[in-house]
Amino acid sequence: SSVVSLAICSPSSRFARQRPNSHWAMATITPDYVNSLEAPTETFLCPLSANVYKIDFHSFKIRAVDEGSERILFEIRKDPDEEPELDDNADDSVRSIRYHFGPQFLDIPTIGTTLEFTVGEHPLHNFRMIEKHYFRNVLIRSYDFSLPFVIPLTNNTWEVIYTMPELTQEWKDAIIGAPWETKSDSFYFVNDQLVMHNKAEYNYSP
């Protein structure tokens, strides 16, 4: 398996189709709102400049967690001197990612991820990630993780364990046969304020 392209840093409701440029719009997008979404959003629900805490993802690792062992499936590390992209005029590709994992990935029951990140001069209270995975606009699984507090001006490591959805062979065959039609939205909140939104597409074909 391989990664096609990557940038570190997916029908939805009527409101989700709008691109929120105002403070009111971003304030309206709450964790409860994104948890209610049943399909990938058509646009990003916050501008890059919403990342006022200067959260910067430096490395990301995905591993298969087996009993008594683990296997690295994917790992990327960005240039440590590269600043986080906060320009709202930047191309959306800076917060979009594409993975090519291969069909064997769908048979792994448990996945672990390791995210290394830094933050700016302000502390993070209730740093929360809500991640929603879809196939052809059908919700497959939602995940909700949080860190109670992150100290300002620190390097941090966030370890997360995912229990993968149990899919029938019919579902697996459909997903394998439809590259890039499996998508996810990852929403990041600080004190229930949306500060980052990343998107991903997945290819499970051989």
Side-chain angles (χ1 to χ4, degrees):
S1 60
S2 63
V3 176
V4 174
S5 63
L6 172 69
I8 297 186
C9 306
S10 292
S12 50
S13 71
R14 178 181 62 83
F15 184 78
R17 294 191 182 99
Q18 301 172 358
R19 188 178 185 91
N21 294 315
S22 68
H23 173 77
W24 177 88
M26 283 187 289
T28 304
I29 300 170
T30 64
D32 286 343
Y33 171 75
V34 300
N35 273 325
S36 73
L37 295 174
E38 297 181 353
T41 64
E42 295 183 359
T43 62
F44 291 94
L45 299 190
C46 66
L48 287 163
S49 59
N51 183 13
V52 295
Y53 296 92
K54 298 181 181 178
I55 302 163
D56 192 12
F57 297 158
H58 288 272
S59 72
F60 184 61
K61 178 171 65 176
I62 302 174
R63 65 194 188 278
V65 180
D66 304 312
E67 187 173 347
S69 66
E70 61 179 47
R71 292 175 289 123
I72 304 299
L73 303 172
F74 166 76
E75 188 169 11
I76 189 72
R77 182 175 295 273
K78 64 175 283 189
D79 185 339
D81 294 327
E82 184 181 342
E83 295 292 327
E85 181 59 73
L86 302 177
D87 183 358
D88 290 339
N89 294 317
D91 190 87
D92 284 342
S93 64
V94 301
R95 45 181 173 171
S96 301
I97 182 171
R98 297 186 105 192
Y99 296 106
H100 186 182
F101 283 131
Q104 72 282 354
F105 191 95
L106 298 176
D107 295 323
I108 301 172
T110 307
I111 296 293
T113 65
T114 303
L115 175 66
E116 294 182 12
F117 67 97
T118 57
V119 297
E121 61 271 25
H122 301 293
L124 308 186
H125 294 273
N126 189 24
F127 184 34
R128 183 175 177 183
M129 177 183 70
I130 299 174
E131 191 169 291
K132 302 176 70 85
H133 292 255
Y134 308 90
F135 175 64
R136 289 181 171 168
N137 294 332
V138 175
L139 180 65
I140 299 174
R141 192 68 182 261
S142 292
Y143 301 93
D144 194 336
F145 306 103
S146 63
L147 293 174
F149 182 75
V150 180
I151 300 171
L153 300 174
T154 54
N155 296 289
N156 304 272
T157 300
W158 195 353
E159 300 271 357
V160 169
I161 298 296
Y162 295 79
T163 301
M164 304 302 284
E166 295 183 7
L167 301 172
T168 65
Q169 190 59 48
E170 183 180 10
W171 268 87
K172 291 180 182 179
D173 291 343
I175 290 172
I176 293 168
W180 313 121
E181 292 191 48
T182 305
K183 305 174 187 291
S184 68
D185 282 304
S186 297
F187 304 94
Y188 297 86
F189 293 87
V190 175
N191 262 352
D192 292 342
Q193 177 186 355
L194 183 63
V195 295
M196 301 174 73
H197 178 192
N198 293 337
K199 286 179 168 288
E201 296 181 344
Y202 304 85
N203 181 347
Y204 298 99
S205 65

